[in-house]
Amino acid sequence: MDRRSSTTGAGGALPMASLRLLASPLQLTYSYIWQVIRQRNVKHYGKVEEFVTMVTQTVPELMTFKQSAQLILGLRARIILDLLQYDNPPDAKAIQTLVNKLKVPISSGKETEVEKSQTNFMVLVQHLLKNPTERKRFFQEVFPVQYGSKFDTALQTLTAGLVCQMEKLLPVPNLSQLGAMISMDSNVLNACGGIIPDPGDLKTLLLHKQSKGVFSVKATVSNSVGDCVLSSLAFMPKPVPPPPPPPPPP
């Protein structure tokens, strides 16, 4: 039995290899980003921040400048604060490296609120690094208020808005649209033949879906639509009669 297909029960969690068959890489990325933010899993905020920075720099129209700054700075700030809170003592060098990357580029002088926020936060970080007593008081009294549920909810809302915009910009094509793309270039068609799923991974996915009862739906194709295939295979042509013997010579 294929080892990958036996890593989960029919109704259990799907392994990554089977999930890749069920969802596109972008859909998995969106799901990862949303779950990280929803679960407040700061350990993975760095990857989310890199994704957000890349897509908003590439297509600035996805968010307003203020929204992208709020999300990027918010993620970067939570990463830094997490190091300050849980590392004892904090790794000053690692934190300073992150602080140096904190600022978002501002092209105009109109975003004074963003400029002020990131400057004040950088000053705060330096203060907390140098003063353990103030650092302890900050995380006991200030952090729960300024960086609590309201802060996390804002990050979730901004993230959801970005993902929604990405889904509009890059919708999942249907079979007809994909077929048109593939048919334009024979090399693409040949390449698609090389990515047919591993049988074990596909079997795991099919068994998982079967356990959920998805095969109880009625067939959408008539049961007689393929009758011509069997009748063609069953057809036996009549033997050709032998030609008549040649007439006897005169």
Side-chain angles (χ1 to χ4, degrees), residues 81-121:
L81 291 174
D82 199 61
L83 292 177
L84 278 168
Q85 184 175 14
Y86 295 111
D87 285 3
N88 191 19
D91 187 338
K93 186 175 181 180
I95 291 173
Q96 188 58 52
T97 300
L98 292 172
V99 169
N100 293 340
K101 298 178 181 179
L102 177 71
K103 282 194 171 185
V104 295
I106 298 176
S107 57
S108 67
K110 298 179 181 179
E111 299 296 339
T112 55
E113 183 182 2
V114 173
E115 179 71 31
K116 179 182 178 181
S117 296
Q118 57 190 12
T119 300
N120 284 3
F121 182 77

Side-chain angles (χ1 to χ4, degrees), residues 235-249:
F235 178 74
M236 292 291 291
K238 293 180 180 180
V240 178

Side-chain angles (χ1 to χ4, degrees), residues 1 11 14 23-24 43 48 57 93-94 163 195 212 225 227 234 244-245:
M1 180 181 292
L14 282 170
S24 72
K43 180 176 68 175
V48 176
Q57 286 181 350
K93 186 175 181 180
V163 169
I195 58 174
K212 304 295 183 182
V225 73
D227 286 352

Side-chain angles (χ1 to χ4, degrees), residues 32-33 43-52 79:
Y32 164 80
I33 288 171
K43 180 176 68 175
H44 293 283
Y45 275 19
K47 286 186 177 294
V48 176
E49 182 270 323
E50 289 175 2
F51 177 85
V52 173
I79 295 169

Side-chain angles (χ1 to χ4, degrees), residues 147-177:
Y147 297 91
S149 59
K150 187 176 180 180
F151 187 91
D152 290 327
T153 299
L155 293 185
Q156 291 175 16
T157 304
L158 290 166
T159 301
L162 175 61
V163 169
C164 183
Q165 289 293 87
M166 287 291 294
E167 288 180 323
K168 291 178 182 178
L169 179 66
L170 300 172
V172 178
N174 58 36
L175 284 178
S176 297
Q177 293 168 331

